[in-house]
């Protein structure tokens, strides 16, 4: 069974598809009302965080995840970086005619499992179908809404000189995992994507410390681009210590083979935390055994520099050219 | 200048593209913060409406509109049907490598103009690029959030026997306009899409009457599918009067030529209003000169019937087969 143009036409077949394939995995009281907009009641007055991402990852299934898991993690994590507790997600498919329903079902099941892990509800959605050759199997968009608890104020604009820069684990595993399934490598690896919802971790950290200035997930463009954005938005210099940058040996092997820089490789389960340096130890302990302090925030014009292993200083720019397309 | 893979890569070129092309047209205080999630403050405690749609319309520019205008109208209108005042929209592009930047700029300008007309802000967004041949120029997703004023309760679940069914103008113009630019017709027409944001109209109607049960925009699947959904959700029969159904002569001409049924043709600037019949006249007067009462809600099993011009009764089903793909 494959997707036909009728699956996106708004008639009987689309109606049956939504009931059989989507509501079966994702049904909840809000979604089941099936009005054009979901009506939601916040539990009290609070700030709202809102975000969106489209997902065009290739291939659709990869070690450690799939496009469905990514579509939930990415949007949950973007909400989490604002300090919000993610609550409601929208889900929109652009399907190519001929896409196997079996693959779609696997993806929707993965969306359901990841949404449950993150504790979010899919509250409304949309399905469009394009002719064969006008898309690439499936593209997904999710948008999300979350609530920011009172007193929480995280932003890439908040870093201050003296702050520490932490990360919760090794860099580049997501992009390296995609690379290994797309390209023929002269060796085998067991690299998996790090894709994971990070909202529970961020909330735990916020409960432990009032000294967190900024949380950022280093996805496209990697840790370097994420830090560069914090430098730019906060008008500070950040210096990272090359020796302190965590990279798994297998990921380093792939990078050396093909000339990728792990600092620019995409992650889907990592956060950078910029915090008051007095709070560094308690946060690192809570971030798990893979966590490390990778740098410090200094006064200066917006710039990102690296103190290299051999004692030099290297300036890092934004990513100039794409390493691997369609990683999310 | 055309879109390259680097426009979606998360590096310098994407950064410059966002500033030059997107912020130039759509910039506002919320969007300009450029955090991963927008942080929004509602003015008080209230219910939130949330919706999403992806747009794959073909061609991208058509008489009366373009994909950008549609992407704002569709999401604004889905929020409006819940009685919400639309406020914040997300905007996500999936671009095909090689897409002309000039076309993208026209589309973004149209998004900006329509958002201003509707009174909504684009607060966050995303851009992805896929390789040439893996997409079709541009796909857009918008998701939206609005606030439902206290006491407003609209839903397709609320229709009651005795209610009247109103529409604000003729059916099928959007789909007919797309048809005329896609197909070679033996005559020329001046048919334009009816695409328009309907939030101001819906709010005006809500201010005039407490007897509105349901508002629904008859997009994909047309008026028949929209009414069918109300019948299904409210467990009622709706009977429409064939003689009362408004169709422009040129649209009727296209339908007769190619065998389309205007009841199943998509609209992008129409609302169906189900209301207490005592409130019918005041609402029709406010809905404008093209408005008409097209039917009534009756007790009975969920079904949609038409009292035909020649005195018969015809049962209408959900749309069975697609008339024209990629209309929104």
């Amino acid at each position: 069974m494959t997707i036909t143009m009728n699956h996106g036409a708004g008639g009987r077949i689309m109606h049956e598809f939504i009931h059989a394939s989507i509501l079966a995995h994702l049904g909840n009281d809000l979604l089941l009302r099936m009005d054009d907009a979901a009506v939601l009641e916040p539990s009290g007055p609070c700030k709202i965080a809102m975000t969106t991402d489209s997902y065009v990852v290739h291939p659709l299934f990869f070690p450690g995840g799939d496009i469905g898991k990514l579509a939930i993690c990415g949007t949950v994590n973007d909400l989490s970086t604002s300090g919000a507790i993610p609550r409601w997600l929208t889900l929109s498919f652009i399907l190519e005619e001929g896409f196997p329903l079996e693959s779609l079902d696997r993806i929707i099941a993965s969306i359901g499992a990841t949404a449950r892990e993150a504790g979010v509800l899919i509250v409304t959605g949309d399905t469009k179908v394009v002719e064969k050759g006008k898309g690439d199997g499936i593209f997904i968009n999710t948008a999300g809404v979350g609530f920011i608890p009172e007193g929480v104020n995280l932003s890439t604009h908040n870093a201050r000189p003296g702050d520490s820069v932490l990360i919760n684990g090794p860099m580049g595993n997501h992009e390296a995992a995609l690379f290994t399934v797309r390209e023929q490598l002269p060796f085998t690896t067991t690299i998996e994507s790090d894709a994971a919802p990070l909202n529970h971790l961020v909330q735990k950290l916020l409960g432990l410390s009032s000294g967190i200035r900024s949380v950022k997930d280093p996805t496209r463009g990697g840790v370097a681009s994420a830090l560069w954005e914090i430098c730019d938005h906060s008008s500070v210099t950040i210096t990272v210590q090359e020796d302190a940058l965590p990279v798994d040996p297998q990921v380093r092997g792939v990078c050396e083979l093909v000339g990728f820089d792990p600092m620019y490789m995409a992650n889907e389960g990592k956060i950078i935390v910029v915090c008051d340096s007095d709070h560094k130890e308690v946060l690192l302990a809570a971030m798990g055994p893979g966590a490390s302090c990778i740098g410090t925030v200094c006064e200066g014009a917006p710039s990102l520099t690296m103190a290299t292993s051999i004692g030099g200083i290297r300036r890092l720019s934004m990513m100039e050219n794409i390493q691997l397309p369609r990683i999310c």
Side-chain angles (χ1 to χ4, degrees), chain A residues 12-323:
Chain A
R12 181 181 58 81
I13 290 171
M14 179 165 155
H15 182 84
E16 289 173 2
F17 158 70
I18 288 170
H19 279 80
S21 295
I22 295 181
L23 298 184
H25 288 293
L26 307 178
N28 58 65
D29 288 350
L30 293 166
L31 184 61
L32 287 169
R33 286 189 68 80
M34 296 294 289
D35 272 324
D36 286 337
V39 176
L40 313 164
E41 295 201 55
S43 50
C46 50
K47 285 189 196 169
I48 297 172
M50 189 177 186
T51 192
T52 189
D53 263 322
S54 288
Y55 299 87
V56 300
V57 67
H58 175 78
L60 300 173
F61 302 94
F62 48 83
D66 57 72
I67 189 172
K69 181 179 184 183
L70 213 56
I72 301 300
C73 293
T75 293
V76 161
N77 293 349
D78 277 348
L79 290 173
S80 302
T81 61
S82 71
I85 299 171
R87 289 287 301 278
W88 300 312
L89 264 60
T90 65
L91 174 66
S92 179
F93 294 125
I94 298 176
L95 304 172
E96 184 188 10
E97 188 184 13
F99 187 65
L101 270 169
E102 195 197 340
S103 301
L104 182 55
D105 205 58
R106 269 178 73 192
I107 291 167
I108 296 173
S110 172
I111 286 170
T114 313
R116 281 187 292 279
E117 182 185 349
V120 296
L121 294 178
I122 309 295
V123 296
T124 187
D126 180 46
T127 303
K128 295 290 187 321
V129 181
V130 296
E131 304 88 340
K132 199 159 182 61
K134 300 293 184 183
D136 195 15
I138 178 171
F139 301 140
I140 299 179
N141 177 281
T142 50
V145 152
F147 297 106
I148 301 177
E150 210 163 331
V152 171
N153 173 22
L154 301 184
S155 167
T156 51
H157 299 252
N158 293 357
R160 301 179 204 170
D163 286 349
S164 296
V165 179
L166 320 179
I167 192 166
N168 62 322
M171 307 187 297
N173 296 52
H174 175 71
E175 187 163 338
L178 282 172
F179 186 80
T180 61
V181 287
R182 278 201 231 165
E183 309 291 329
Q184 290 286 359
L185 290 180
F187 48 85
T188 57
T189 79
T190 55
I191 301 171
E192 292 202 343
S193 166
D194 58 343
L198 296 166
N199 51 324
H200 302 307
L201 173 60
V202 174
Q203 286 303 314
K204 183 170 83 168
L205 300 182
L206 286 169
L208 288 170
S209 161
S210 60
I212 302 177
R213 319 277 194 220
S214 173
V215 173
K216 173 97 186 145
D217 56 334
T219 54
R220 270 183 297 177
V223 169
S225 299
L227 291 178
W228 193 94
E229 213 170 301
I230 295 171
C231 293
D232 184 44
H233 289 181
S234 296
S235 293
V236 292
T237 296
I238 290 179
T239 303
V240 294
Q241 303 295 324
E242 186 172 24
D243 285 342
L245 295 169
V247 185
D248 281 344
Q250 290 192 87
V251 172
R252 193 176 292 282
V254 168
C255 286
E256 284 172 1
L257 183 75
V258 294
F260 284 178
D261 183 342
M263 280 289 280
Y264 290 93
M265 288 179 79
N267 311 276
E268 293 290 343
K270 293 297 171 305
I271 43 169
I272 291 167
V273 174
V274 178
C275 68
D276 184 326
S277 59
D278 290 344
H279 295 233
K280 180 172 76 170
E281 297 306 332
V282 66
L283 290 171
L284 282 173
M287 285 164 80
S292 55
C293 177
I294 60 171
T296 52
V297 180
C298 320
E299 227 153 329
S303 77
L304 177 62
T305 60
M306 180 188 280
T308 65
S309 311
I310 54 164
I313 293 283
R314 184 155 73 91
R315 188 151 170 176
L316 299 177
S317 60
M318 297 188 78
M319 188 171 71
E320 195 57 35
N321 283 297
I322 194 164
Q323 296 188 137

